[in-house]
Amino acid sequence: MNKELQNKSPIYEALEKYKKMRVVPFDVPGHKRGQGNKELTDFLGEKCLTVDVNSMKPLDNLCHPVSVIKEAESLAADAFGAKHAFFMVNGTSSAVQAMVMAACKRGDKIIMPRNVHRSAINALVVCGAVPVYVNPGVNKELGIPLGMSIHDVKKAIDENPDAKAILINNPTYYGICSPLKAITELAHEHKMLVLVDEAHGTHFYFNEDLPASGMSVGADMAAVSMHKTGGSLTQSSFLLINNELSKGYIRQIINLTQTTSASYLLMSSLDISRKNLALNGQEIFANVVKMAEYARKEINKIGGLYAFGRELINGDTVYDFDTTKLSIHTRDIGLAGIEVYDILRDDYGIQIEFGDIGNILAIISVGDKPLAIERLISSLSEIKRLYCKDKAGMFDHEYINPSVAMTPQEAFYTDKKSVLMKDSEGSICSEFVMCYPPGIPILAPGERITKEILDYIAYAKEKGCFLTGTQDINIEYINIVI
């Protein structure tokens, strides 16, 4: 990384220059720098609305960058150690989908862990690629999916030598990392592309004490959620490419689905946040790790709550662990994670990232302060004291191995009918069912519906998980293949 160059923010600088030109707008957006919508301007601020502008010659165009956006992309690539970086304003979901659609066409196989984000399976629905699922390891005590075993990946490659690519989570929502370097080298030996979903791994690029990043081990593409842990605005991300991939072709794939009206608020936030991390990331994330490790230590003193960490590392399905992830097992105090999630928000004014059946996750990142960490710790201690009960009868696992009967595209677009969830056992699912967050499907199109899965869905609903994915907004009916 060239730190001297990283001090620049081309998009931000171009916007500041444009503001000073006092141009009279006869283009979109129609609010005309905030003048046409006083309530919105009062809410977001005049400074924000004056830079909510359209693509034009002085500001470049995201679909075909030739000036300031092109320079900003070059700086981002330098910061992340990539061949090229694309600014993404449709979220990391669109970056994941672009990776899959760039690597695979209809009928091509792609190896991936089943605990992928829904965006990866959505990409299969759109492009018609065929998933070869590698079931992740499972920690039965915590009830969480882990990473992929190198043995299981090798088996999938040996059985599917014609697969075009392999997709790897780095890390999972819980902070678990697969053996990224070994899988990458193995895939490349078999002429397969390596795609890395780093929605929760932005910080890996800016602190040498954190797990390896996709670009550092030679992966071909990586989708990076700058907004999650890097400080940019929600929905802004990077797609990184490496090796001999065609920048022009990848941009064509991105432009199939990405907006032609890219937000300069999102792009400038990426530009400024990249500069901040490039110049200060080592120190920032050293402090983040320090806060997370302190919280982990104090929470584990409470008793009954288990904030897990690097002790889970086994050199394979937990090859490494992201210590900035404050994942906490709650089942031993008799509460589902989603119940603790709700209590923290409703009674203590604390919003954490998610709660599932047995765990909660608090994201610790660039904007956190020690006082907020202390408030979280003391609130969890009080919740344990006030709400602790016998854990008998609680669900004891999160991940259920799927039975795949059809490709996602075939199942999603085939003839289907809607039946009561309770009457669907044995049928093939034609849509998604998932708790959000994290957005990892319990059921995906093409998978067999089992009693175990139905029991899990019913328990998740009972405990208050926010279920999504079905046409039926009440999640009482489900579409099945006829």
Side-chain angles (χ1 to χ4, degrees):
M1 184 196 307
N2 187 329
K3 286 235 174 170
E4 207 172 299
L5 281 177
Q6 290 297 326
N7 205 32
K8 299 177 69 179
S9 304
I11 298 172
Y12 163 70
E13 291 161 15
L15 284 168
E16 288 284 33
K17 184 178 178 182
Y18 181 74
K19 279 170 66 176
K20 291 173 185 173
M21 292 166 65
R22 300 174 64 86
V23 172
V24 178
F26 283 101
D27 61 349
V28 297
H31 61 69
K32 302 299 173 97
R33 315 299 187 261
Q35 297 174 97
N37 194 335
K38 184 180 184 304
E39 188 176 6
L40 182 64
T41 305
D42 290 345
F43 177 54
L44 293 179
E46 185 181 351
K47 203 167 183 181
C48 178
L49 270 292
T50 56
V51 291
D52 181 35
V53 294
N54 193 30
S55 296
M56 61 189 74
K57 197 170 270 189
L59 299 178
D60 209 354
N61 187 304
L62 185 60
C63 293
H64 191 86
V66 294
S67 59
V68 292
I69 296 175
K70 182 180 180 182
E71 185 183 356
E73 287 182 341
S74 178
L75 288 169
D78 179 61
F80 283 88
K83 175 187 172 186
H84 189 75
F86 298 92
F87 278 51
M88 306 296 293
V89 295
N90 284 21
T92 312
S93 291
S94 69
V96 170
Q97 290 162 1
M99 289 197 304
V100 174
M101 293 191 290
C104 304
K105 59 183 185 296
R106 181 177 173 83
D108 286 345
K109 293 179 185 175
I110 178 170
I111 297 168
M112 59 172 65
R114 175 52 181 78
N115 58 324
V116 289
H117 188 262
R118 66 172 294 176
S119 58
I121 301 176
N122 281 345
L124 305 182
V125 171
V126 173
C127 77
V130 179
V132 175
Y133 290 129
V134 173
N135 287 317
V138 176
N139 183 304
K140 292 182 179 176
E141 289 72 34
L142 300 176
I144 64 169
L146 305 174
M148 294 188 289
S149 160
I150 190 70
H151 171 78
D152 290 342
V153 172
K154 187 175 188 311
K155 184 172 181 287
I157 289 174
D158 289 343
E159 292 174 357
N160 300 275
D162 54 340
K164 300 295 184 184
I166 180 163
L167 188 145
I168 309 165
N169 294 323
N170 190 51
T172 69
Y173 234 109
Y174 302 95
I176 308 295
C177 298
S178 298
L180 185 64
K181 189 171 190 294
I183 294 173
T184 298
E185 290 172 351
L186 183 63
H188 283 166
E189 284 172 19
H190 290 80
K191 311 299 183 192
M192 296 177 188
L193 293 175
V194 177
L195 324 178
V196 187
D197 181 348
E198 291 184 313
H200 288 269
T202 299
H203 45 298
F204 290 1
Y205 287 88
F206 300 99
N207 186 288
E208 59 199 21
D209 296 324
L210 290 170
S213 66
M215 294 295 101
S216 73
V217 301
D220 298 284
M221 286 187 262
V224 179
S225 274
M226 194 68 162
H227 69 95
K228 284 189 171 70
T229 59
S232 67
L233 291 178
T234 296
Q235 204 175 307
S236 59
S237 299
F238 286 119
L239 173 58
L240 310 176
I241 65 169
N242 208 357
N243 305 326
E244 301 308 311
L245 294 182
S246 164
K247 178 174 74 173
Y249 178 67
I250 304 298
R251 194 178 302 280
Q252 284 184 328
I253 295 292
I254 291 169
N255 286 343
L256 290 175
T257 56
Q258 183 155 262
T259 178
T260 55
S261 303
S263 166
Y264 279 86
L265 297 175
L266 298 184
M267 287 191 287
S268 59
S269 81
L270 281 170
D271 204 19
I272 293 166
S273 299
R274 178 271 312 153
K275 173 184 170 182
N276 182 39
L277 295 190
L279 298 179
N280 308 304
Q282 183 71 25
E283 181 184 338
I284 287 169
F285 291 116
N287 189 49
V288 169
V289 168
K290 185 179 176 183
M291 287 190 289
E293 290 286 42
Y294 169 77
R296 193 171 280 113
K297 180 181 168 187
E298 293 301 308
I299 289 166
N300 286 335
K301 288 179 184 175
I302 293 170
L305 295 169
Y306 174 34
F308 47 91
R310 290 183 60 81
E311 70 280 359
L312 297 184
I313 292 174
N314 60 21
D316 193 18
T317 52
V318 189
Y319 185 81
D320 208 344
F321 185 83
D322 176 9
T323 49
T324 72
K325 296 285 185 296
L326 187 58
S327 300
I328 305 162
H329 187 62
T330 64
R331 196 179 291 126
D332 288 343
I333 62 170
L335 293 174
I338 188 62
E339 292 175 307
V340 176
Y341 171 97
D342 286 340
I343 294 167
L344 280 169
R345 184 194 59 244
D346 297 341
D347 296 352
Y348 294 88
I350 294 173
Q351 181 63 58
I352 56 172
E353 175 66 12
F354 82 87
D356 55 30
I357 301 302
N359 305 275
I360 59 174
L361 170 65
I363 296 285
I364 316 293
S365 196
V366 295
D368 286 293
K369 303 296 180 191
L371 190 61
I373 301 290
E374 294 291 357
R375 183 172 166 185
L376 175 63
I377 295 165
S378 61
S379 298
L380 287 171
S381 179
E382 193 168 292
I383 288 170
K384 189 256 176 141
R385 180 174 61 82
L386 294 176
Y387 295 95
C388 186
K389 59 187 178 184
D390 194 312
K391 67 175 182 178
M394 296 193 72
F395 229 74
D396 63 354
H397 60 278
E398 300 285 350
Y399 178 77
I400 300 168
N401 288 342
S403 170
V404 180
M406 297 171 69
T407 69
Q409 187 183 66
E410 186 183 7
F412 186 83
Y413 287 113
T414 194
D415 292 337
K416 64 194 83 169
K417 67 177 180 178
S418 179
V419 300
L420 281 167
M421 190 78 73
K422 65 183 180 65
D423 297 331
S424 66
E425 183 181 345
S427 301
I428 298 170
C429 184
S430 180
E431 57 187 349
F432 290 95
V433 182
M434 70 201 84
C435 296
Y436 189 86
I440 297 166
I442 301 166
L443 273 171
E447 294 177 0
R448 186 80 60 184
I449 302 169
T450 64
K451 183 179 185 305
E452 187 182 21
I453 288 169
L454 293 175
D455 287 346
Y456 181 91
I457 292 169
Y459 186 81
K461 284 180 75 173
E462 178 194 329
K463 290 298 182 183
C465 288
F466 182 62
L467 290 168
T468 70
T470 55
Q471 280 187 20
D472 173 27
I473 200 164
N474 297 314
I475 324 289
E476 292 172 355
Y477 287 81
I478 188 167
N479 284 339
I480 61 169
V481 174
I482 298 175

